[in-house]
């Protein structure tokens, strides 16, 4: 039984299940109209963690009725071979989303591979065109983890406008897109990182703290304003009392008494990432249909 008051817990598992149900319903409607969305997942090499991630993504896709096309390639696959596959997937009308599982082997230039994916099929939102589009506030495919965090925040806080959000960590896959999404939601955003001075004082100003660092229990109670909402993206494996377990970047037990709401680790942000990958696959299909028939749908973003 959970010893903590459940009202304060932001339940990522339950929210992800709701997102997946929404996706399943949309897929059903699409399939009734003769369209089955497809997601291609590319894995190069035999990294154990990547294999688990890919298996989960494929399983969840199938559960909601999205066709998953798995491409498992040997670790010595050349960059040219990978580019040829991506080119083929870009042209394949049955593939609406392309995900290349990271990290790639060292001999492959990750940036070059991600740039080769069509921006309209880039369900991870890592292509420069999508990164730039997000910075400009356009309707583009955005990275799954920060998109999932935004859904958790909207559900927990309601209106985000005017809230002061502090994002800890500035990676391309979490911190930076998170800050851009919060800005788009009219938050006042502060980004802090390993070189920032007096992190606790900066975080204490925040109505919302998003932690994406990768340092177990870095953020203690003294970093948090009473009543803050905390989204803990960190996933860290630690040894404690002879057991290995997962913890976030926030000292959960210390933070809980003074926050308004907080995501647990595990069971917080984690489940949202796959849910938003599948949501992005439908968004990608929609963007592709708009691009194929620009006369049908007006440009959504201010041109
Ligand atoms: P990263 O290593 O790419 O970036 C970490 C960031 O933290 C850097 O910008 C760095 O400047 C900052 N940082 C490092 N030490 C710091 C310190 N002492 N104080 C303040 N900032 C500091 O990591 P990432 O890919 O952004 O991932 C961050 C964490 O989130 C990891 O634990 C990762 O496993 C987890 N993660 C979870 C999910 C999910 O689905 N839940 C998805 C992606 C990442």
């Amino acid at each position: 039984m959970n010893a903590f008051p459940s009202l304060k817990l932001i339940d990522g598992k339950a929210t992800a299940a709701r997102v997946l149900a929404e996706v399943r319903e949309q897929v059903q409607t699409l399939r009734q109209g003769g369209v089955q969305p497809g997601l291609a997942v590319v894995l190069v090499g035999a990294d154990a963690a990547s294999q688990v991630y890919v298996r989960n993504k494929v399983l969840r896709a199938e559960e909601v009725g999205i066709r998953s096309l798995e491409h498992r390639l040997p670790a010595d696959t050349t960059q040219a071979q990978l580019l040829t596959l991506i080119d083929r997937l870009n042209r394949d009308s049955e593939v609406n989303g392309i995900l290349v599982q990271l990290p790639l082997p060292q001999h492959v230039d990750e940036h070059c591979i991600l740039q080769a994916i069509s921006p309209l099929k880039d369900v991870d939102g890592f292509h420069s065109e999508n990164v730039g589009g997000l910075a400009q506030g356009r309707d583009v495919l955005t990275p799954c983890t920060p998109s999932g965090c935004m859904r958790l925040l909207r559900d927990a806080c309601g209106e985000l406008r005017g809230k002061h959000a502090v994002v800890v960590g500035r990676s391309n896959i979490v911190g930076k897109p998170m800050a851009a999404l919060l800005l788009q939601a009219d938050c006042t955003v502060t980004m802090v990182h390993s070189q920032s001075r007096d992190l606790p004082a900066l975080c204490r100003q925040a109505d919302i703290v998003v932690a994406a660092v990768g340092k177990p229990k870095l953020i203690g109670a003294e970093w948090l304003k009473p009543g803050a909402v905390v989204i803990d993206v960190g996933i860290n494996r630690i040894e404690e009392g002879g057991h290995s377990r997962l913890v976030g970047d926030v000292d959960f037990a210390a933070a809980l008494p003074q926050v308004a709401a907080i995501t647990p680790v595990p069971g917080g942000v984690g489940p949202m990432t796959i849910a938003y990958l599948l949501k992005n696959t439908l968004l990608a299909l929609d963007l592709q249909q708009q691009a194929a028939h620009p006369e049908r749908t007006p440009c959504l973003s201010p041109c």
Side-chain angles (χ1 to χ4, degrees):
M1 214 182 82
N2 197 331
F4 299 111
S6 61
L7 272 180
K8 282 192 166 188
L9 283 186
I10 300 175
D11 187 343
K13 266 195 209 161
T15 309
R18 280 199 294 278
V19 173
L20 289 171
E22 290 160 18
V23 171
R24 192 179 300 116
E25 212 176 291
Q26 286 170 30
V27 172
Q28 259 167 22
T29 309
L30 284 163
R31 288 177 73 166
Q32 281 158 10
V35 177
Q36 184 177 17
L39 171 67
V41 183
V42 180
L43 174 63
V44 185
D47 178 75
S50 293
Q51 287 192 352
V52 174
Y53 296 145
V54 164
R55 193 168 59 237
N56 287 337
K57 287 169 186 175
V58 166
L59 277 174
R60 291 286 103 74
E62 284 165 2
E63 275 168 22
V64 297
I66 291 178
R67 180 190 297 119
S68 64
L69 307 119
E70 246 181 290
H71 295 268
R72 289 176 179 263
L73 307 175
D76 61 356
T77 301
T78 64
Q79 181 154 318
Q81 286 168 327
L82 197 48
L83 287 171
T84 304
L85 171 63
I86 289 171
D87 183 48
R88 185 156 62 75
L89 297 173
N90 280 340
R91 293 160 193 265
D92 187 339
S93 60
E94 296 204 336
V95 172
N96 304 108
I98 303 172
L99 178 144
V100 176
Q101 184 64 45
L102 303 179
L104 287 167
Q106 288 212 327
H107 65 275
V108 178
D109 179 345
E110 202 167 278
H111 177 71
C112 171
I113 297 299
L114 295 178
Q115 287 299 99
I117 297 172
S118 160
L120 295 180
K121 296 190 176 186
D122 170 35
V123 282
D124 262 335
F126 293 159
H127 192 288
S128 316
E129 201 170 307
N130 287 326
V131 175
L134 172 59
Q136 291 175 331
R138 288 190 287 121
D139 283 320
V140 291
L141 292 162
T142 55
C144 306
T145 300
S147 302
C149 292
M150 288 303 290
R151 169 72 179 253
L152 293 177
L153 276 173
R154 285 187 205 282
D155 286 1
C157 303
E159 181 59 60
L160 296 177
R161 181 177 306 137
K163 297 257 179 0
H164 183 192
V166 171
V167 179
V168 192
R170 56 175 165 180
S171 72
N172 289 336
I173 65 166
V174 190
K176 284 181 195 157
M178 187 72 223
L181 287 167
L182 286 162
L183 199 57
Q184 223 175 61
D186 293 330
C187 288
T188 300
V189 183
T190 304
M191 288 197 74
V192 301
H193 47 78
S194 56
Q195 306 306 309
S196 301
R197 294 194 193 138
D198 202 355
L199 282 160
L202 291 166
C203 284
R204 263 198 310 275
Q205 296 171 21
D207 304 309
I208 294 167
V209 174
V210 180
V213 180
K215 297 253 184 304
K217 301 188 192 182
L218 172 75
I219 297 177
E222 69 287 4
W223 291 47
L224 301 168
K225 175 165 93 174
V229 171
V230 178
I231 302 289
D232 192 352
V233 184
I235 302 177
N236 310 288
R237 187 162 288 284
I238 60 162
E239 300 297 324
E240 218 172 54
H243 296 285
S244 147
R245 67 182 186 104
L246 293 181
V247 297
D249 292 338
V250 180
D251 185 340
F252 181 83
L256 194 75
Q258 71 186 65
V259 297
I262 183 167
T263 54
V265 178
V269 174
M272 296 299 288
T273 299
I274 294 189
Y276 267 75
L277 167 68
L278 302 177
K279 205 170 159 67
N280 270 358
T281 305
L282 297 193
L283 189 57
L285 168 63
D286 193 39
L287 292 171
Q288 287 150 37
Q289 288 174 338
Q290 279 180 40
H293 302 284
E295 73 289 354
R296 273 200 224 148
T297 22
C299 175
L300 293 174
S301 41
C303 298

